[in-house]
Amino acid sequence: MVKPQRFCFCLVALFFVTSIGLNVYLISGDGFRNHAASTSLHIGDHGPVVVLASAESVKEGIKSIDTSEQKKNLRAVDKAGSMHPKTKTVAVAAPVGETSTEGTEEFTECLAPAPANATPPRLMSSTTNPIYFLHIGKAGGTSVDSMFSKLNAKKKKYVGHKHFDYSYIQMKESRNAKKTSSNSTSACGYGEIADIVDVVTFLRDPVDRGISQFYFGRGLRWMKRSKCCQKVLGQTLEEYLEDDNRNWTQPIKDGESGTSFLTGRFRGGGWVATDGKETGLKSHLRHNKTASALLAARRLESTPWFGLMEDKERSLKLLAVSLGLNRTPDLPKANKGKQGHPPVTDKERQLIKQHVPGDMWLYEYAKRLLDSRYRHFVEGEPYESPEMPALPEP
């Protein structure tokens, strides 16, 4: 029940903001979480926005929206402004010009593909750079952490054993002014840390990763306790994929298989550590799959090593070359799901693929890039930069 004092305050605030022509939204916590899927809600680009929410209303859901213009505004999520879910009464979001256009003048830098005569990556054994491992969920990352912990043996600083994206690495390295170049705050960020850190990652086919995430996630204790996820616990994979009102989207969210990690477009406050900033570039990348694919590809090219779960043998041979090892390392098995799952149908695989066009594109390019590296480093052929697949539509 809403307390009379707070209710009256909200009415007064509502009267004031509507009288001066501001956009008003009544938001609740459940609707907030379902719509934004993060700890920040970003409202539309129609000038200043006022969000009214009480501690009690946090349990109700987004109120009904009547007019088409309001629906249009609400669909324009991620543009500008923010409200933390613990906001108790009133939060005023900034006009779009103050936030979402930051860095837009440099977007063109991110859209340019790497030159065709790109050189092969340097060897990790040739520098003392720290190693940062971009750990993608359900893609063998725990095994990679374990392997690097044994291989590195304190020869190089290793930063792993947690989930973070590219912006987190930029933030960490920018704190050391002696090591960070002057262009460390550019919107694109290509190259400004590539020379001073060794960013590595391990990718998995996005369809297989999504299947693994679905079955693994349902066995987690927090999933079983969470009110938002009770429905999915009783669904088959096909039922989940055909449910347009699903609350848990991680298995089929485009970017979870690599693109969001390499571009650094995750929002702060979630399960993936970031630089904690919301920029125009991040918003742009979330809405433009072409731009996101190109930036992810460039950053993958800048890695001294990356691996593919489905091409493990060649991936580990390349790692041995990069680290200057005498033998190919073993990848231990870790964090496996405790239970198997029913056979996956072709229909289910196709449904997942339709949800993740950006990650499917990145994975196809990664296969080509790994093949180019293997032919050069292991088979001794001249290095040739691979041709990019047809880019996904924006």
Side-chain angles (χ1 to χ4, degrees), residues 79-288:
K79 294 295 184 182
S82 63
M83 184 188 80
H84 193 275
K86 292 183 179 179
T87 298
K88 292 185 177 180
T89 315
V90 180
V92 181
V96 75
E98 294 183 10
T99 55
S100 70
T101 57
E102 177 188 345
T104 55
E105 70 280 357
E106 299 188 43
F107 283 173
T108 53
E109 177 189 349
C110 307
L111 302 180
N117 61 345
T119 58
R122 68 174 179 274
L123 302 179
M124 284 191 281
S125 60
S126 67
T127 75
T128 58
N129 291 347
I131 299 173
Y132 281 85
F133 173 52
L134 288 176
H135 183 165
I136 297 164
K138 302 313 299 173
T142 304
S143 298
V144 174
D145 270 330
S146 178
M147 177 182 64
F148 266 102
S149 296
K150 296 177 181 178
L151 290 176
N152 196 40
K154 299 182 179 179
K155 294 179 181 178
K156 292 163 70 89
K157 178 183 177 182
Y158 178 74
V159 183
H161 303 284
K162 66 182 293 185
H163 298 283
F164 51 79
D165 70 6
Y166 205 88
S167 72
Y168 175 87
I169 305 174
Q170 291 174 306
M171 175 193 68
K172 287 291 186 180
E173 289 303 309
S174 68
R175 291 176 178 175
N176 188 341
K178 294 181 180 180
K179 293 177 62 178
T180 307
S181 58
S182 60
N183 67 338
S184 60
T185 58
S186 69
C188 182
Y190 176 60
E192 84 278 25
I193 63 170
D195 293 334
I196 60 174
V197 299
D198 291 345
V199 179
V200 300
T201 192
F202 203 67
L203 304 177
R204 184 179 186 181
D205 183 298
V207 175
D208 291 326
R209 196 213 68 83
I211 295 168
S212 178
Q213 183 78 68
F214 174 77
Y215 286 106
F216 180 81
R218 296 198 312 170
L220 297 175
R221 284 181 293 179
W222 74 265
M223 283 278 289
K224 295 178 180 179
R225 295 195 302 262
S226 175
K227 292 182 180 180
C228 75
C229 303
Q230 292 304 302
K231 181 170 61 173
V232 72
L233 297 178
Q235 290 179 321
T236 65
L237 178 58
E238 183 174 338
E239 290 170 341
Y240 167 78
L241 294 171
E242 293 182 337
D243 184 0
D244 293 332
N245 296 314
R246 68 182 75 85
N247 293 328
W248 181 50
T249 61
Q250 195 175 356
I252 56 171
K253 189 172 184 180
D254 205 12
E256 294 278 347
S257 292
T259 308
S260 291
F261 288 86
L262 284 162
T263 59
R265 72 186 191 191
F266 277 103
R267 291 193 181 92
W271 68 281
V272 177
T274 73
D275 63 356
K277 298 178 181 179
E278 185 60 27
T279 66
L281 176 63
K282 288 184 181 182
S283 178
H284 180 68
L285 291 170
R286 294 184 198 120
H287 293 85
N288 190 307

